Amino acid sequence: MIINRLNQLYKPERTLYYIDASKEDIASFYNGVVPPLVEKYADVFGVYDYPGVFFVRKLQKEVIGVEFRNGDPRIGYPTEMKSLELDASFFYSIEIDDDAEIDLPFVRSIFEEIAGGDDAHRPYSDLSMEEEPEVIAVFHDYKKFRILHEWKLYNDRAIHVMNDDHDRFAKEELYRLAFTDPITGNYNWSHIEAFLEVPGDRGIRDYAFAHFDIKQFRVINEAYGHIAANRVLSNIVKAMNEADFVYASARCHNDNFAMLLKDMPEPELKLKLQDLFENNSVLEEDPYYKVYYKCGVVPMRRAMLFGNRVADAAKMAQALCTDLKGTEIVFYTDKMHDDLSWGNYIKAYVETAIELDEFVVYLQPKFDINTEKIKGAEALIRWNYKNKELLSPYRFIPFFEKDGTIDKIDDLVLKTICRTFERWKKEGKPLYPVSVNLSRSRMYDENLIDKLTGIVDSYGVDHHLIDFELTESATYDNMERMLYVLRKLRDCGFKISMDDFGTGYSSLSLLTQMPIDTLKIDKSFVDKISGDTERNEDIILLRHIISLAKELGFVCLAEGAESRIQIDRLRDLGCEIIQGYYYSKPIPLGEYEERYL
C-alpha cells in the first residue's frame, strides 16, 4: 500500500452537520455513494471540505457529514441534519488507495508510523500527533481515500513573523531563514546569487552555470507523496554537495536547482552531469520509476558575461528540453543569445513598426494546373525593417508566435487584403480568393469569429473571397475548440485551408474532422519529384494523398513547385492547383495587380 503524505493543514472553528450512519451506510460511502441528504450540501457556499466519514470523540461513533463555516448570514445552513461545534485544529493529511479496509485502529496505526519518522516540522511551526484526537475524517475521491488525523501545534514561530517580532529570532536563525531551503537544508537562490556577484571572494576565477529541474516532478508528489518527493530533492542536494566539479549549488524553488560548475570542455562537463543525474534516477519507494531531468548549461564565457543574470540564459536552454522521457542536457549557444536579443528587441519595437507601416503584404499566385490560369493567391507578410532591410517571415514570425503578437500581424494582413479587395471591386477588376494565415494561438480568443467577420464586413468584402489558412504542423491542445471555430467560420461563408499537410503528428485523423476546403501538400513532398532520381515510394505516397483528398471532397493544392517536371508529374497524379516559384515567387500587391488583374 502506498501512503501519499499530502500536507499539514489548519481548520478554524466550524460546525459539522451530520447524519447517523449504519455500518452499511459507511460501507456504501467508501464505495462512492454519498447519502442524498449530505450530498445536496457537497458544493454549496461556505462548505469547508467535501462530505466525509467523521470519527468524533464527543459522539463516540462514526457519522457522515459535511463541515460549514460559522456565522455567515449568506450561508443556507442545513436544518434537517444534526450539528456539532468543532474547535479550531490542525490536521495531517494522507491519501491511500480505496481498496483498504478503513477502521479506527487501522487509521491510528498509519499515523503512529508516520509520527515515528515525521514530526511535521515546517518553516514557522511544528506539529506532533494528537494522541486523543477530537476528529478523524475520511473522504473518498476517485479510487483514493483522503484521511485527516488531528495533530497538535507545539512550537509556533509564525506569530513572531506576523507580528514582526525581530527580537524573538536569533541571528543564526534569521540567516538560516534568509539563505537556506527549509526542506533540504541546502542553500537557496539568495545565497548562490552572492557567488554570481562577487565570485572572487571565494577564489572562483571563472565558472560554467547549470539550471535544472525534475521532469514530471508533480507525478512523484501526487503518486508517492511529499515525503518521497522531498527525499528526491534531498538526495539531489547531497549529490551536488559531494560532486568535485560543483563550486556552489542551490535549491531555487520547487524542483528547480542551480549550480556553479568548474569550467571544462563541453563533452567532459556533459558526461559529469549525466553521471550526477543517472546516480539520482531511481525512486527509493519504487525502483521501477525512473527520475529524469532537464538541464540548461551556460558555458564559461557566456556565464561570465551574463553575471547574476546567467539563470535567464540557463533557463532558456533548459526550455529546449521537450521530451517527456530521458534526461536532457542542452548547452546555451551564441545563437540562442542572438535570438533572445533580437526577440526582445522586436517585441518592444513591433508596435512602432506597425505605426510606421513597415509591414508589407506580398501575394504568391495560385494556378489551375490544367489551364495554367490564375485561381487566387496566398497573402504573405514581409517586414521592411526601418526601411533598410526586407526581412523574411522566419526572422520574426516565430518570435511573434511565442509572445502573442502574431494576432496583430494576422489582422494587419487581413485588413490589407480586404482594403485592397474593396479598391479592386470599385475599379471593376476581377476578384480571385486570397488565403490569409490564421494562427492557432488565436483559438483561445472567445471573440475571434466576431473580430474576423467584423474586419471583412467593414470593407464590404464577400466572405467567399477570404480563405483562412491553418498550419497543420502547428500544435494546439484544445482540438474541440479549434474545430468549433473553423466550423463557425465556414458557416459564415469563409473558405478553410490546411497548410503544410503531412508535417504534423495527426494528419489522417485531422482530415476526417476538420471542415476544410483545400488541402495544401507541403513542399517537402513536392521536392522529392525530380525526374530520374525520384523514388517510387515517394510517388506512391503522394498519389494516395491526392486521391484521399479528392475522395474527401477537398481541393488539392501543391506548394513549392519549381520545375516543369514537377508540374507535369503533379498533373498526372491528379493535383488541381499549383503554388510555387515555377509560376511566380511572392510579389508585391502592385505587381500582382499589374500582372494578373
Side-chain angles (χ1 to χ4, degrees):
M1 177 181 64
I2 295 177
I3 300 175
N4 185 349
R5 305 181 190 192
L6 296 176
N7 57 326
Q8 299 90 44
L9 55 94
Y10 168 77
K11 285 190 176 184
E13 294 178 352
R14 60 209 184 280
T15 300
L16 172 65
Y17 290 88
Y18 67 92
I19 61 174
D20 294 319
S22 66
K23 289 184 178 180
E24 290 75 19
D25 293 332
I26 301 294
S28 295
F29 180 88
Y30 290 156
N31 286 318
V33 180
V34 181
L37 188 57
V38 178
E39 187 175 31
K40 65 185 288 189
Y41 293 101
D43 296 308
V44 300
F45 174 73
V47 168
Y48 269 122
D49 211 329
Y50 299 94
V53 172
F54 293 82
F55 299 85
V56 184
R57 189 155 70 96
K58 289 179 182 178
L59 299 176
Q60 289 296 302
K61 62 181 179 181
E62 300 170 63
V63 298
I64 298 176
V66 64
E67 298 167 310
F68 272 86
R69 179 171 66 237
N70 290 337
D72 192 328
R74 299 167 296 179
I75 295 175
Y77 294 101
T79 57
E80 61 271 60
M81 288 193 282
K82 297 178 181 180
S83 63
L84 178 68
E85 297 294 317
L86 298 177
D87 294 331
S89 49
F90 293 86
F91 291 89
Y92 197 118
S93 173
I94 67 170
E95 188 178 72
I96 63 175
D97 293 336
D98 66 357
D99 55 2
E101 294 291 333
I102 301 290
D103 57 28
L104 190 56
F106 171 74
V107 171
R108 290 286 294 175
S109 67
I110 290 178
F111 282 94
E112 286 171 358
E113 182 181 346
I114 290 173
D118 178 16
D119 243 8
H121 298 292
R122 305 186 296 179
Y124 306 113
S125 61
D126 298 296
L127 303 174
S128 62
M129 182 175 169
E130 179 64 70
E131 295 299 329
E132 295 184 358
E134 292 294 330
V135 178
I136 296 174
V138 180
F139 306 91
H140 186 260
D141 201 353
Y142 178 71
K143 295 186 177 182
K144 297 286 184 181
F145 288 132
R146 179 168 54 90
I147 307 175
L148 271 60
H149 190 293
E150 189 175 354
W151 282 38
K152 58 186 176 184
L153 177 68
Y154 70 86
N155 186 2
D156 182 5
R157 301 179 299 281
I159 189 170
H160 306 317
V161 176
M162 297 177 194
N163 293 338
D164 295 331
D165 293 336
H166 316 99
D167 296 338
R168 299 301 295 266
F169 293 92
K171 289 182 179 180
E172 294 79 5
E173 187 175 11
L174 291 173
Y175 184 87
R176 177 177 56 79
L177 291 172
F179 296 110
T180 64
D181 161 44
I183 291 178
T184 65
N186 196 45
Y187 293 117
N188 60 21
W189 173 256
S190 295
H191 187 269
I192 202 173
E193 196 168 21
F195 285 79
L196 296 173
E197 290 187 8
V198 194
D201 284 350
R202 287 293 294 269
I204 300 173
R205 295 190 304 172
D206 53 47
Y207 55 85
F209 181 89
H211 189 280
F212 67 92
D213 65 17
I214 302 167
K215 291 187 177 181
Q216 303 189 69
F217 186 66
R218 176 180 56 82
V219 174
I220 301 176
N221 256 316
E222 295 181 358
Y224 299 95
H226 292 298
I227 302 300
N230 289 346
R231 189 175 294 115
V232 172
L233 302 177
S234 296
N235 288 341
I236 293 170
V237 164
K238 184 174 183 292
M240 292 191 301
N241 289 336
E242 293 176 352
D244 61 2
F245 65 102
V246 178
Y247 285 127
S249 64
R251 180 190 176 217
C252 305
H253 60 89
N254 298 332
D255 61 319
N256 289 263
F257 296 86
M259 297 184 291
L260 266 71
L261 308 171
K262 293 181 180 178
D263 184 39
M264 60 191 75
E266 185 175 312
E268 184 181 348
L269 181 55
K270 186 171 185 178
L271 186 61
K272 283 184 174 291
L273 288 170
Q274 286 172 336
D275 287 343
L276 185 146
F277 295 135
E278 181 60 30
N279 292 334
N280 289 275
S281 64
V282 177
L283 192 66
E284 294 180 22
E285 286 71 14
D286 183 355
Y288 298 103
Y289 185 92
K290 288 282 287 184
V291 180
Y292 299 116
Y293 303 84
K294 52 182 179 180
C295 177
V297 183
V298 184
M300 183 272 292
R301 181 174 60 179
R302 274 294 172 198
M304 300 299 292
L305 292 175
F306 272 110
N308 63 349
R309 294 187 59 191
V310 68
D312 294 337
K315 290 176 186 177
M316 174 176 293
Q318 182 183 337
L320 298 178
C321 302
T322 55
D323 290 343
L324 293 178
K325 291 293 185 180
T327 291
E328 295 177 274
I329 300 170
V330 175
F331 281 76
Y332 187 83
T333 65
D334 284 342
K335 184 179 185 304
M336 291 183 202
H337 176 264
D338 294 342
D339 286 347
L340 173 64
S341 301
W342 171 246
N344 288 338
Y345 176 74
I346 63 173
K347 181 179 179 180
Y349 181 69
V350 64
E351 295 288 351
T352 302
I354 292 174
E355 285 293 320
L356 296 178
D357 204 24
E358 291 183 9
F359 289 100
V360 182
V361 175
Y362 276 44
L363 291 178
Q364 185 171 27
K366 303 173 185 177
F367 293 87
D368 185 305
I369 199 169
N370 294 306
T371 65
E372 299 194 325
K373 291 183 178 179
I374 189 80
K375 291 289 289 185
E378 177 183 2
L380 301 166
I381 191 74
R382 300 291 185 266
W383 188 352
N384 188 12
Y385 177 65
K386 295 188 175 182
N387 294 313
K388 296 178 180 177
E389 179 185 5
L390 199 62
L391 302 181
S392 295
Y394 80 89
R395 291 288 307 280
F396 56 92
I397 292 296
F399 300 99
F400 293 158
E401 287 177 335
K402 286 180 182 178
D403 66 24
T405 310
I406 192 65
D407 58 341
K408 297 177 182 178
I409 302 301
D410 284 354
D411 286 349
L412 183 151
V413 173
L414 181 60
K415 289 176 182 177
T416 301
I417 292 302
C418 288
R419 184 166 56 248
T420 305
F421 268 135
E422 182 184 43
R423 177 173 62 81
W424 286 344
K425 184 177 180 180
K426 288 179 181 178
E427 295 174 357
K429 299 187 184 300
L431 304 179
Y432 301 106
V434 172
S435 58
V436 295
N437 186 62
L438 179 61
S439 300
R440 291 200 182 196
S441 60
R442 305 193 65 185
M443 296 296 168
Y444 295 102
D445 186 351
E446 293 293 332
N447 299 315
L448 177 62
I449 297 168
D450 290 338
K451 286 180 180 178
L452 298 177
T453 304
I455 291 173
V456 177
D457 290 346
S458 67
Y459 292 96
V461 176
D462 291 339
H463 289 191
H464 75 275
L465 290 172
I466 301 297
D467 186 339
F468 287 110
E469 203 165 280
L470 199 71
T471 303
E472 198 273 341
S473 58
T475 57
Y476 188 68
D477 57 7
N478 190 339
M479 191 63 67
E480 289 185 6
R481 171 65 184 170
M482 183 185 72
L483 293 174
Y484 169 81
V485 170
L486 295 182
R487 289 180 185 127
K488 284 292 185 181
L489 288 173
R490 203 158 182 251
D491 290 344
C492 292
F494 297 109
K495 300 295 184 183
I496 305 293
S497 292
M498 181 193 285
D499 194 11
D500 298 341
F501 177 75
T503 60
Y505 297 99
S506 54
S507 304
L508 293 179
S509 62
L510 280 173
L511 282 184
T512 63
Q513 300 178 64
M514 292 184 69
I516 61 177
D517 300 282
T518 301
L519 186 72
K520 297 185 71 174
I521 299 173
D522 188 67
K523 184 180 185 297
S524 60
F525 289 93
V526 178
D527 287 342
K528 294 173 181 176
I529 302 173
S530 54
D532 296 337
T533 61
E534 67 187 18
R535 298 193 316 152
N536 189 49
E537 294 88 339
D538 295 326
I539 298 300
I540 291 173
L541 180 59
L542 195 52
R543 179 188 300 115
H544 281 287
I545 291 174
I546 294 171
S547 176
L548 181 61
K550 293 179 125 181
E551 287 191 45
L552 290 172
F554 308 145
V555 173
C556 195
L557 182 152
E559 298 182 278
E562 299 178 352
S563 68
R564 191 71 220 182
I565 292 175
Q566 292 173 329
I567 299 293
D568 293 338
R569 176 66 87 177
L570 288 166
R571 183 190 300 108
D572 293 340
L573 292 173
C575 187
E576 299 159 278
I577 308 295
I578 292 292
Q579 178 183 343
Y581 274 35
Y582 178 79
Y583 287 113
S584 175
K585 64 180 181 180
I587 54 178
L589 283 171
E591 185 177 344
Y592 174 87
E593 178 179 349
E594 182 179 342
R595 289 172 59 178
Y596 301 109
L597 306 186

